[in-house]
Amino acid sequence: MAASLRSVAAGSEAKRPRERLSLTEARRVALAAQGFGRPQPVRPTMRDIQATVNRLAQFQIDSINIVARAHYLPLFSRLGPYDTTLLHRAAERPPRRLFEYWGHEASLIDVTLQPALRWRMAAAADEAWGRIRRIREERPDLLEFVRAEIADRGPISAREIEHDEQRERSNWGWNWSAVKTCLEWLFWTGEISAADRNRQFERRYDLMERVLPSAVTRQPTPAREEAAVRLIRRAAQALGVATSRCLADYFRITQARARPAIEALVAAGELIAVTVPGWADNGAYLWHTARIPRRIKASALLSPFDSLVFERRRLEQLFDFHYRIEIYVPQAKRVYGYYVYPFLLEEKLVARVDLKADRVRGVLQVLSAWREQGADPVEVCCALAGELTSMASWLELGAVEVQPRGDLGPDLALAMG
């Protein structure tokens, strides 16, 4: 590792690094690193999917399906309407480009990062949730049964194992939650992985070596220090410029593990320490090949689980945009709505909309729309109307229906005609 880092450092000596970024420059760096400001392809292909995987490293998964599953949306935000079967192919068929594991949260992760995450699999006894950890001691017989079922019958869902268990209940006496807990333990430790998901969005599990490409499984396991460097490197590429806290948060590693990795990348010239106004906490680090565009031309609706939105404090520092997801807030106390999408226009977050896909009626509903201070309502409504129309078409919904709630709602309803 040291030799490779020194070679990068040597190559970087010819160019004097930046020491300071204005807030505007930092914002443009962050947007460019995330893939915004590029022309959208007319018809996205697997090459475009792979380029986005290379850039972001992961797509967070969430079970909520108010508009669309969370992992579908980052690609739509950057590429525009794309065929979601491309993502299914990337995640479920050879040559597999993504695998499911714990990244920022449960995520589809670039398959080349699996060796760098083996430390998390090995540390399951310390890292996994309490109930999952306890299953080894409490139900070793059940764990062995589930392991054998996966080996003999995989890919298989928890429900299918439950079916056999019900037939044998007089002998086994296990319930579904215990089976699922065993599966989660085996998933966390890396013994098994998600081969795919069924129509009910349930994982279908198989042995890791039958899911991942052999070129990945044959790779040696890096030392923990090297694994941390690899993860921080990918986080830095995806973020462009970030504090140490944000670099660590991207793959949910501790500051204690992230700090030596950051220092190694700084010493190698891959990360450049910079100052950004308002970023006094922990300083900031610029990825050495990050672009600093003169402007960003973009228009995109962002999922609450988009990697641009991951770290809320960073979002507020970059865009002066205070954002909290209000799913778990009682309805009477919600400020903006249940499932709110920030709206990016050019280089700013200019609005937020509470969206819901009414699949029975074939309508994309805008339950409320809110304009950020200083944003031009006419400009915002025109651009937002176009994005909503594009999203509705991508979701195969026939219309957009705007409720006149929020300070932008009435104007947006007029803009939608």
Side-chain angles (χ1 to χ4, degrees), residues 66 70 120 212 225 273-274 284 307 327 358:
I66 301 299
R120 181 166 286 164
L212 265 62
E225 295 78 10
V274 295
S307 50
I327 293 172
D358 186 338

Side-chain angles (χ1 to χ4, degrees), residues 135-136 138-146 172 174 182:
I135 198 69
R136 288 187 309 165
E138 294 177 356
R139 303 303 302 273
D141 52 346
L142 177 60
L143 187 62
E144 186 56 40
F145 169 77
V146 172
W172 299 101
W174 298 323
C182 287

